Amino acid sequence: MAAIFPLILVLIAGIGLAIQPPTNAALAKTSGSVVLAALTSFLIGTATLAVVWAAMDRTSPAALKGAPGWAWLGGFYGAGFVAVLAYAAPRLGISVALTAAIASQLAMALIVDHFGLFGVRVEPVTIGKFAGVALVIAGAVLVRRG
Protein backbone atom coordinates (compact mmCIF):
# COMPACT_ATOMS: atom_id res chain seq x y z
CA MET A 1 0.00 0.00 0.00
CA ALA A 2 2.94 2.36 0.68
CA ALA A 3 3.91 2.08 -3.00
CA ILE A 4 0.61 3.44 -4.30
CA PHE A 5 1.49 7.16 -4.06
CA PRO A 6 4.85 6.83 -5.84
CA LEU A 7 3.16 4.64 -8.45
CA ILE A 8 0.49 7.28 -9.06
CA LEU A 9 3.20 9.94 -9.40
CA VAL A 10 5.10 7.77 -11.90
CA LEU A 11 1.92 7.20 -13.93
CA ILE A 12 1.30 10.95 -14.04
CA ALA A 13 4.94 11.57 -15.01
CA GLY A 14 4.52 8.98 -17.77
CA ILE A 15 1.62 10.98 -19.16
CA GLY A 16 3.90 14.01 -19.25
CA LEU A 17 6.59 12.03 -21.06
CA ALA A 18 4.05 10.97 -23.67
CA ILE A 19 3.06 14.55 -24.45
CA GLN A 20 6.53 16.07 -24.13
CA PRO A 21 7.83 14.89 -27.55
CA PRO A 22 5.02 16.42 -29.61
CA THR A 23 5.18 19.69 -27.68
CA ASN A 24 8.95 19.88 -28.18
CA ALA A 25 8.52 18.81 -31.82
CA ALA A 26 6.13 21.75 -32.29
CA LEU A 27 8.81 24.09 -30.93
CA ALA A 28 11.36 22.48 -33.26
CA LYS A 29 9.06 22.81 -36.26
CA THR A 30 8.30 26.44 -35.49
CA SER A 31 11.92 27.40 -34.85
CA GLY A 32 13.54 25.05 -37.35
CA SER A 33 15.89 23.80 -34.63
CA VAL A 34 15.62 20.64 -32.53
CA VAL A 35 18.44 21.91 -30.33
CA LEU A 36 16.71 25.24 -29.66
CA ALA A 37 13.48 23.39 -28.88
CA ALA A 38 15.27 21.12 -26.40
CA LEU A 39 17.08 24.08 -24.85
CA THR A 40 13.79 25.95 -24.45
CA SER A 41 12.24 22.89 -22.82
CA PHE A 42 15.14 22.64 -20.38
CA LEU A 43 15.11 26.36 -19.60
CA ILE A 44 11.40 26.19 -18.74
CA GLY A 45 12.00 23.03 -16.71
CA THR A 46 14.94 24.64 -14.92
CA ALA A 47 12.90 27.75 -14.10
CA THR A 48 10.07 25.56 -12.79
CA LEU A 49 12.43 23.54 -10.60
CA ALA A 50 14.10 26.71 -9.32
CA VAL A 51 10.75 28.09 -8.18
CA VAL A 52 9.80 24.79 -6.50
CA TRP A 53 13.25 24.54 -4.86
CA ALA A 54 13.05 28.12 -3.56
CA ALA A 55 9.50 27.64 -2.28
CA MET A 56 9.74 24.16 -0.79
CA ASP A 57 13.26 22.82 -0.41
CA ARG A 58 16.21 25.22 -0.26
CA THR A 59 18.81 22.50 0.25
CA SER A 60 22.18 24.16 -0.11
CA PRO A 61 23.87 23.50 -3.46
CA ALA A 62 27.00 22.80 -1.41
CA ALA A 63 25.35 19.46 -0.54
CA LEU A 64 26.23 18.31 -4.07
CA LYS A 65 29.96 18.63 -3.40
CA GLY A 66 30.34 14.97 -2.47
CA ALA A 67 28.46 13.56 -5.48
CA PRO A 68 30.40 11.08 -7.61
CA GLY A 69 31.48 12.29 -11.05
CA TRP A 70 29.01 10.09 -12.93
CA ALA A 71 26.10 11.59 -10.95
CA TRP A 72 26.54 14.86 -12.86
CA LEU A 73 25.63 13.23 -16.19
CA GLY A 74 21.86 13.03 -15.63
CA GLY A 75 21.23 16.33 -17.37
CA PHE A 76 23.28 15.12 -20.34
CA TYR A 77 21.07 12.03 -20.70
CA GLY A 78 17.92 14.08 -20.25
CA ALA A 79 19.02 16.63 -22.86
CA GLY A 80 19.78 13.85 -25.30
CA PHE A 81 16.42 12.20 -24.67
CA VAL A 82 14.47 15.43 -25.12
CA ALA A 83 16.32 16.41 -28.30
CA VAL A 84 16.16 12.94 -29.86
CA LEU A 85 12.45 12.57 -29.11
CA ALA A 86 11.70 16.06 -30.50
CA TYR A 87 13.45 14.90 -33.68
CA ALA A 88 12.11 11.33 -33.83
CA ALA A 89 8.48 11.81 -32.75
CA PRO A 90 7.25 13.57 -35.90
CA ARG A 91 9.16 11.09 -38.07
CA LEU A 92 8.20 7.87 -36.30
CA GLY A 93 5.02 8.82 -34.47
CA ILE A 94 4.72 9.18 -30.71
CA SER A 95 3.73 5.56 -30.06
CA VAL A 96 6.66 4.11 -32.00
CA ALA A 97 9.18 6.57 -30.57
CA LEU A 98 8.03 6.02 -26.99
CA THR A 99 7.69 2.24 -27.19
CA ALA A 100 11.22 2.05 -28.58
CA ALA A 101 12.45 4.36 -25.81
CA ILE A 102 10.60 2.40 -23.12
CA ALA A 103 11.91 -0.92 -24.44
CA SER A 104 15.50 0.33 -24.31
CA GLN A 105 14.94 1.86 -20.87
CA LEU A 106 13.60 -1.40 -19.50
CA ALA A 107 16.42 -3.46 -21.01
CA MET A 108 18.98 -1.11 -19.44
CA ALA A 109 17.04 -1.08 -16.17
CA LEU A 110 17.36 -4.88 -15.97
CA ILE A 111 21.13 -4.56 -16.34
CA VAL A 112 21.40 -1.74 -13.80
CA ASP A 113 19.23 -3.60 -11.27
CA HIS A 114 20.92 -6.95 -11.80
CA PHE A 115 24.41 -5.61 -11.17
CA GLY A 116 23.44 -2.88 -8.69
CA LEU A 117 25.04 -0.22 -10.87
CA PHE A 118 25.06 3.44 -9.79
CA GLY A 119 24.42 2.47 -6.19
CA VAL A 120 20.96 0.97 -6.65
CA ARG A 121 19.86 -2.08 -4.71
CA VAL A 122 20.70 -5.34 -6.48
CA GLU A 123 17.58 -6.87 -8.00
CA PRO A 124 18.55 -10.03 -9.88
CA VAL A 125 17.04 -10.65 -13.30
CA THR A 126 14.41 -13.37 -13.11
CA ILE A 127 12.69 -15.27 -15.88
CA GLY A 128 9.53 -13.24 -15.22
CA LYS A 129 11.34 -9.88 -15.45
CA PHE A 130 13.20 -10.98 -18.56
CA ALA A 131 9.97 -12.20 -20.16
CA GLY A 132 8.20 -8.94 -19.28
CA VAL A 133 10.90 -6.84 -20.91
CA ALA A 134 10.99 -9.19 -23.91
CA LEU A 135 7.23 -8.71 -24.29
CA VAL A 136 7.64 -4.93 -24.20
CA ILE A 137 10.36 -5.14 -26.86
CA ALA A 138 8.09 -7.39 -28.94
CA GLY A 139 5.32 -4.84 -28.42
CA ALA A 140 7.61 -2.07 -29.64
CA VAL A 141 8.29 -4.10 -32.80
CA LEU A 142 4.56 -4.67 -33.30
CA VAL A 143 3.76 -0.99 -32.80
CA ARG A 144 6.47 -0.11 -35.34
CA ARG A 145 5.14 -2.57 -37.91
CA GLY A 146 1.60 -1.28 -37.39
Side-chain angles (χ1 to χ4, degrees), residues 111-130:
I111 294 167
V112 169
D113 279 351
H114 184 77
F115 294 105
L117 303 176
F118 308 109
V120 303
R121 182 180 70 221
V122 172
E123 291 285 337
V125 174
T126 63
I127 295 295
K129 289 178 185 178
F130 184 81

Side-chain angles (χ1 to χ4, degrees), residues 14 18 22 34-35 45 47 49 54 56 68 71 85 87 96 99 106 108 116 122 132 134 142:
V34 169
V35 176
L49 289 173
M56 298 176 61
L85 268 286
Y87 170 79
V96 171
T99 54
L106 288 173
M108 189 64 201
V122 172
L142 288 173

Side-chain angles (χ1 to χ4, degrees), residues 28-145:
K29 182 178 181 183
T30 301
S31 69
S33 172
V34 169
V35 176
L36 179 59
L39 176 62
T40 302
S41 178
F42 270 82
L43 288 174
I44 292 168
T46 299
T48 301
L49 289 173
V51 168
V52 171
W53 172 75
M56 298 176 61
D57 188 332
R58 296 192 183 148
T59 300
S60 171
L64 296 170
K65 189 168 67 172
W70 53 263
W72 295 91
L73 297 176
F76 174 76
Y77 307 137
F81 183 81
V82 167
V84 166
L85 268 286
Y87 170 79
R91 289 162 177 82
L92 300 174
I94 302 301
S95 60
V96 171
L98 285 179
T99 54
I102 291 166
S104 66
Q105 289 171 10
L106 288 173
M108 189 64 201
L110 279 183
I111 294 167
V112 169
D113 279 351
H114 184 77
F115 294 105
L117 303 176
F118 308 109
V120 303
R121 182 180 70 221
V122 172
E123 291 285 337
V125 174
T126 63
I127 295 295
K129 289 178 185 178
F130 184 81
V133 171
L135 286 170
V136 171
I137 292 170
V141 170
L142 288 173
V143 169
R144 174 68 178 122
R145 289 189 178 164

